Amino acid sequence: MMIREQDHTIDTIAGTLNTIAQQASLMGQEISEHNEYVLVALYFVFPTTQCFRMLTDLERNVDVSDNKLNDAMRRMRKFLRDSEERGSGWCILILVVVLMALLLAVILV
């Protein structure tokens, strides 16, 4: 009886997976059709040289943005490194002063 229930469950899962596979296939076909439509529309709207120019401009702008982001990340790493070094020194100095004050308070009391 348990084996029959397991077989029924497995058959149900297999049916669901087949349905999902069919839906994925249909979605892939529809996306391909839309992509073809968009490419054809772009071809007729923009001449080839204009499309090439637009892609070149986009690539150049992406490269400029990437360079700016890399520069900003480099400066941020340097800032964090510098602030860690300075911050830990000041923290140690403050803790030493507090410790000395506590020792004096204990000795004088």
Side-chain angles (χ1 to χ4, degrees):
M1 189 166 115
M2 286 179 59
I3 293 175
R4 277 190 230 134
E5 287 179 19
Q6 289 176 351
D7 286 343
H8 177 70
T9 304
I10 290 173
D11 288 341
T12 304
I13 292 171
T16 303
L17 290 175
N18 284 332
T19 303
I20 291 172
Q22 289 172 354
Q23 289 175 350
S25 175
L26 289 172
M27 288 171 62
Q29 289 173 357
E30 190 170 333
I31 288 170
S32 294
E33 290 173 7
H34 284 290
N35 285 344
E36 289 175 18
Y37 173 75
V38 167
L39 288 175
V40 168
L42 282 174
Y43 180 75
F44 285 114
V45 171
F46 300 107
T48 306
T49 55
Q50 192 172 4
C51 281
F52 181 74
R53 213 174 308 126
M54 288 170 56
L55 289 173
T56 304
D57 289 343
L58 177 64
E59 183 180 10
R60 187 176 343 107
N61 289 336
V62 168
D63 287 342
V64 167
S65 297
D66 185 49
N67 290 336
K68 287 180 180 179
L69 182 60
N70 286 336
D71 187 45
M73 290 300 291
R74 182 184 51 76
R75 284 186 277 141
M76 182 63 77
R77 281 191 296 271
K78 183 181 182 309
F79 172 76
L80 288 174
R81 193 175 337 113
D82 291 346
S83 61
E84 279 179 359
E85 291 171 3
R86 275 187 256 126
S88 61
W90 281 106
C91 184
I92 291 171
L93 181 66
I94 291 171
L95 288 174
V96 167
V97 169
V98 168
L99 181 62
M100 296 299 264
L102 288 173
L103 284 174
L104 284 174
V106 168
I107 292 173
L108 294 176
V109 171

